[in-house]
Amino acid sequence: MANQKLFISSHAPFWHNGTSLSSRSYNVMLAALPAVVMGIGQYGAAALGVISLSISCAMLWELLLNKAMGRPVSIGDGNAAVIGLLFAMLLPATAPWWTVLIGTFLAIVVGKQIYGGMGSNPFHPSLVAFAIVMLSWKAIVNFDAALVNYDLGFSMVYPLGAVKHFGASAAANYNSYDLLMGMQSGGIGATFGLGLILGGLYLILRGIIRWEISLSFIVGIVITAQLFHVSDPDQYAGAVFHLLTGYTLIGAFFLATEDSSSPVNVIPMVLYGACAGVLTILIRNIGFFVDGVVFAILMMNVANPLLDKIRPKAVGGGIEHA
Amino acid sequence: MIKRSFFSLGKPGLKYLSITDPGVAVKDISLPGEVRLLVKDCDVGAINLKVGAPVKTGQKVVLTDDPGCYVISTVTGTVSGVSAYAGYLNQSYASISIDVSGEDQLDEATLAGLEAPTFEAARDYLTSLPGKPDFLSFLKLDPPVNTVVITCVDQDLLVSTHRQAVLLDVDGLIEGIEYLKQVSRIGRVMIAAPSSLVPLVSKAGVDVKEVCDTYPNSLCGMIAKDVLGADYMPAKSFEQMGIGFISAEAVIGLARIFGSAEIPVEKLITVIGKDNVPVMVKARIGTPAGDVLAAVGITASSGDRVVFGGPMSGTSIYSLDMPVLADTDAIMVQDQSQVVLSQDCQCVNCGECVRACPVKVPVNMLVRVLASGFYEEAAEMYDLHACIECGLCNYVCVARIPIFHHIMLGKHEVARIKNAEGSNG
């Protein structure tokens, strides 16, 4: 046996289509780049600081948790970096460093690792963190207050806030093209609608996110917003306004589509996306909060395992006692 | 290795290698110095075969007191050793080594036993015919097997053994069908063939089922699903559903035995090198894989992977001494740079497997349940038995989880638990 060749022995299949978790994460980050670059362009070094700190803190928390739990180091899969990036994209550029530090802790530890790491998280980790930050330190994510010192050449009044407090007439101050091109106040990476749409389309075409979720989310928002608008045009803004403001587009392409917390079968995906869209508008129009995307998606994350029970029957049943 | 395309929305869409050229060169592998024959489910301790006993080509060597436990020698020589061998999923085999000496001498007793195409002749002599037909299952009476499907398709990508066998001897196939009817006593014979072979095999005058050219449509499970329709119940075996499968190569073998009084002892094999280019060879059953690879100039070094079968559903072997078996359709060598290792990751619920699955198994849930060891729950709630074992879920898995391995282990464990419970009485 001394000169026996040692072959690699494993179970079939012996081919793989070459996809990996890390390439998936890096593609998400690549797709987020247009919106992120726009945010950095608008808010300068402050935005860059928040994003860099958020990504690095998220990766550090992940590394610490890996070490503490004696698990293999998993920062290489890029998932922690994506969580950090998405969290930063939701924040205003003025978010203080400790918010980012605590927020990434909440995202990585409370949102992901305590459930068992990537794939086991029932909620989108960035949203868990953002929801806690939003409820705990309201002033930090109040964009009107946070961005008061910026003058970027367009109205720095947060569009959803304006509509919430002054009625649909406030929507007339914003033109759709400007909103699409990022001429609005908001999160660092959440305002450049066109960039988010391009990134989302890239991810859909690459097969990394599911178009069913993104599309049904948008359709849910458009239909519900339009129904509200038709019922009371003075109080409720129109569908296009809701589509291009707040976290709608980042939610549709980057938040609702997270693998672990979203369904995999077609009907559940459509229900999940559409319900999240409807909930978003309900919260925005008749709820307490200015933007509803965060809570709407978190709510639907909870429903995900139940929704995914709606699945096609396997061919021939497959069940023994059938 | 076929990588995922840059833009991708749908299923993997892996196509079988298309073959149309009937004049393909088949390389004959010369007789090795020693052959090894594996006999399944044979208790090595009960074997009363003596080392040094002379055997002839085609000779039926009964190994134990059970007349059903026999091996057909594929060479002329002397028995040089008997040992135990444990294969895939702990299947136990007896391994009989035979030193090859000189010219082939055909065994007269076997020739005499194979004069008439009867079920008894098949049962007593033909269970290790190249292509490994399962004649014993065809005899099952409750419920009876009423349909035999001749598979003129290959079970895996890059493999073209059975289609080449048809191209090389389509007359043999047509002649063999008559003998198959007599041997199996089953009236309904069908042929499953790819579109390129349909005009050729239609001459046989039996029903022809066209098989689509994307993987995994050629797998027996997929064909059974098509043929049986609503009667298809994957939790049962094919025989229990009343359907049997036999490869085209085995049917051609029947024609050679009963038509021209030959004893087929050679297996047609697709050898797939590191460049994924297939070569057809013909080797004596029992020839070590190393001899076959050497004859076609393929070197397998440490760190490479050597596979019996194709890239999706084959079995990797750990030694080049592993002999060619009656059902070895292909030998594949994969360079170490092509080897993609499984990872210790959890399912991330991306859903690629669910979309790739041809039989709609909820693989994302199944793999979690299996990884946690809840095998019976997997069978009862997550369609474990619906799996047709194509390996596509594993092929597309982003987390590179060994899903196929989990599934096969799960099926094995469920069967074991059932057997253990059955013996409780």
Side-chain angles (χ1 to χ4, degrees):
Chain A
M1 294 292 279
N3 57 359
Q4 182 85 42
K5 287 175 182 168
L6 292 174
F7 298 125
I8 292 187
S9 193
S10 65
H11 200 280
F14 307 103
W15 274 2
H16 191 270
N17 70 357
T19 54
S20 65
L21 291 174
S22 52
S23 76
R24 220 171 157 85
S25 299
Y26 298 142
N27 274 302
V28 172
M29 288 193 264
L30 184 70
L33 264 189
V36 170
V37 169
M38 183 68 154
I40 295 172
Q42 285 176 333
Y43 299 104
L48 182 64
V50 170
I51 288 171
S52 310
L53 185 66
S54 182
I55 294 177
S56 39
C57 284
M59 292 173 75
L60 277 175
W61 287 123
E62 176 102 348
L63 184 66
L64 274 176
L65 262 283
N66 286 158
K67 293 286 177 200
M69 298 192 299
R71 292 281 303 156
V73 173
S74 61
I75 51 173
D77 63 27
N79 184 247
V82 167
I83 291 170
L85 177 67
L86 289 176
F87 178 67
M89 286 167 76
L90 300 175
L91 287 174
T94 52
W97 63 269
W98 54 266
T99 317
V100 179
L101 191 70
I102 295 173
T104 48
F105 171 83
L106 292 169
I108 298 295
V109 181
V110 180
K112 176 180 157 189
Q113 288 291 355
I114 58 167
Y115 297 106
M118 187 177 184
S120 303
N121 50 300
F123 308 102
H124 193 308
S126 306
L127 286 179
V128 171
F130 192 77
I132 297 175
V133 168
M134 196 163 118
L135 294 175
S136 309
W137 299 284
K138 291 193 183 68
I140 289 171
V141 289
N142 179 339
F143 293 101
D144 290 333
L147 302 175
V148 72
N149 293 325
Y150 282 92
D151 180 12
L152 302 175
F154 48 81
S155 169
M156 288 306 288
V157 179
Y158 188 55
L160 284 176
V163 169
K164 184 112 193 161
H165 303 305
F166 303 109
S169 59
N173 300 332
Y174 303 92
N175 101 32
S176 299
Y177 178 75
D178 287 350
L179 290 176
L180 183 69
M181 298 312 288
M183 307 290 170
Q184 56 172 316
S185 93
I188 296 170
T191 57
F192 183 28
L194 184 66
L196 291 167
I197 293 171
L198 287 178
L201 286 178
Y202 169 78
L203 290 179
I204 286 173
L205 290 173
R206 291 298 310 269
I208 290 167
I209 63 170
R210 293 308 300 176
W211 61 268
E212 290 95 334
I213 294 176
S214 300
L215 188 69
S216 58
F217 182 74
I218 288 171
V219 168
I221 285 204
V222 166
I223 290 178
T224 319
Q226 197 57 36
L227 286 177
F228 269 101
H229 182 63
V230 169
S231 73
D232 187 352
D234 293 333
Q235 195 182 350
Y236 303 117
V240 176
F241 179 81
H242 278 292
L243 189 61
L244 297 173
T245 52
Y247 294 138
T248 306
L249 290 170
I250 193 175
F253 295 114
F254 291 88
L255 301 175
T257 52
E258 201 257 346
D259 288 327
S260 167
S261 52
S262 66
V264 301
N265 295 305
V266 176
I267 295 171
M269 280 196 285
V270 171
L271 284 176
Y272 166 90
C275 290
V278 171
L279 275 176
T280 299
I281 297 298
L282 288 180
I283 297 173
R284 280 182 185 177
N285 282 352
I286 56 177
F288 171 73
F289 295 98
V290 173
D291 195 353
V293 171
V294 174
F295 294 110
I297 295 178
L298 283 173
M299 293 275 279
M300 291 317 292
N301 284 167
V302 181
N304 161 38
L306 202 60
L307 283 176
D308 236 359
K309 296 243 176 219
I310 308 171
R311 59 178 179 86
K313 202 168 155 237
V315 173
I319 297 172
E320 280 180 284
H321 50 70
Chain B
M1 179 112 41
I2 298 169
K3 297 267 185 191
R4 190 176 204 258
S5 56
F6 187 79
F7 292 117
S8 121
L9 282 165
K11 294 189 168 199
L14 299 174
K15 287 203 185 306
Y16 297 102
L17 201 70
S18 65
I19 55 152
T20 45
D21 180 16
V24 68
V26 178
K27 188 177 170 68
D28 274 312
I29 308 289
S30 53
L31 260 182
E34 184 192 62
V35 297
R36 253 173 79 204
L37 305 170
L38 299 184
V39 192
K40 200 176 162 188
D41 296 330
C42 177
D43 180 10
V44 176
I47 290 180
N48 43 32
L49 179 67
K50 296 275 180 293
V51 171
V55 288
K56 287 181 179 175
T57 305
Q59 183 179 337
K60 176 179 175 180
V61 185
V62 179
L63 299 172
T64 63
D65 295 335
D66 172 13
C69 183
Y70 68 88
V71 63
I72 299 289
S73 173
T74 57
V75 291
T76 302
T78 50
V79 176
S80 61
V82 175
S83 60
Y85 174 79
Y88 181 59
L89 292 178
N90 210 22
Q91 279 160 352
S92 70
Y93 295 88
S95 163
I96 315 292
S97 305
I98 301 169
D99 274 338
V100 181
S101 59
E103 284 294 301
D104 277 325
Q105 297 169 20
L106 288 188
D107 185 65
E108 298 299 328
T110 301
L111 286 174
L114 287 172
E115 254 177 5
T118 59
F119 174 79
E120 287 72 21
R123 180 192 61 196
D124 294 344
Y125 292 97
L126 298 181
T127 54
S128 52
L129 189 68
K132 205 141 177 80
D134 193 2
F135 290 114
L136 296 179
S137 74
F138 293 171
L139 186 67
K140 272 188 47 56
L141 293 173
D142 187 29
V145 173
N146 48 32
T147 308
V148 178
V149 180
I150 303 170
T151 52
C152 301
V153 287
D154 289 287
Q155 301 283 302
D156 212 328
L157 300 161
L158 295 187
V159 181
S160 51
T161 303
H162 293 291
R163 288 172 297 166
Q164 289 292 0
V166 174
L167 283 175
L168 288 167
D169 191 4
V170 70
D171 297 331
L173 179 77
I174 294 166
E175 189 188 348
I177 290 172
E178 289 313 311
Y179 297 121
L180 174 66
K181 283 180 179 168
Q182 294 170 37
V183 162
S184 66
R185 308 176 204 152
I186 295 168
R188 188 177 179 217
V189 175
M190 290 181 74
I191 293 180
S195 55
S196 59
L197 290 182
V198 167
L200 210 56
V201 297
S202 301
K203 291 181 219 157
V206 297
D207 285 349
V208 178
K209 175 102 206 142
E210 189 174 323
V211 175
C212 175
D213 67 345
T214 47
Y215 189 77
N217 287 298
S218 71
L219 295 187
C220 291
M222 293 298 276
I223 296 171
K225 180 167 80 77
D226 277 5
V227 171
L228 294 171
D231 293 335
Y232 176 67
M233 278 171 284
K236 295 183 174 177
S237 67
F238 291 134
E239 300 89 74
Q240 284 169 330
M241 288 187 272
I243 189 167
F245 287 92
I246 184 167
S247 67
E249 198 183 10
V251 177
I252 293 166
L254 289 180
R256 289 180 52 201
I257 291 168
F258 299 114
S260 12
E262 294 172 40
I263 304 175
V265 284
E266 288 183 321
K267 178 81 184 85
L268 196 62
I269 306 166
T270 312
V271 182
I272 306 156
K274 292 180 179 181
D275 50 2
N276 284 345
V277 176
V279 184
M280 295 306 299
V281 304
K282 207 169 218 183
R284 198 61 71 100
I285 290 173
T287 308
D291 288 22
V292 177
L293 294 179
V296 292
I298 296 172
T299 10
S301 350
S302 290
D304 294 346
R305 191 150 53 187
V306 183
V307 177
F308 268 26
M312 298 302 282
S313 58
T315 316
S316 66
I317 58 168
Y318 52 86
S319 161
L320 289 179
D321 294 336
M322 182 70 188
V324 167
L325 308 175
D327 57 355
T328 304
D329 291 336
I331 302 176
M332 183 175 106
V333 180
Q334 201 174 29
D335 189 72
Q336 46 194 306
S337 63
Q338 297 277 304
V339 172
V340 176
L341 295 176
S342 297
Q343 287 175 1
D344 177 23
C345 280
Q346 297 168 76
C347 171
V348 296
N349 213 38
C350 68
E352 289 289 318
C353 48
V354 175
R355 286 182 283 277
C357 182
V359 288
K360 300 179 190 162
V361 171
V363 190
N364 63 328
M365 295 308 296
L366 180 64
V367 73
R368 287 161 204 238
V369 176
L370 287 174
S372 312
F374 298 119
Y375 303 114
E376 285 172 299
E377 192 181 349
E380 282 163 18
M381 291 171 66
Y382 297 105
D383 302 326
L384 174 66
H385 290 296
C387 172
I388 53 153
E389 302 166 16
C390 67
L392 277 178
C393 49
N394 208 153
Y395 169 79
V396 300
C397 183
V398 173
R400 303 188 178 178
I401 301 170
I403 306 175
F404 197 3
H405 201 166
H406 277 302
I407 288 176
M408 295 311 287
L409 176 66
K411 285 188 170 183
H412 179 69
E413 285 296 313
V414 170
R416 211 173 54 83
I417 293 165
K418 264 189 160 177
N419 283 340
E421 285 172 354
S423 64
N424 286 342

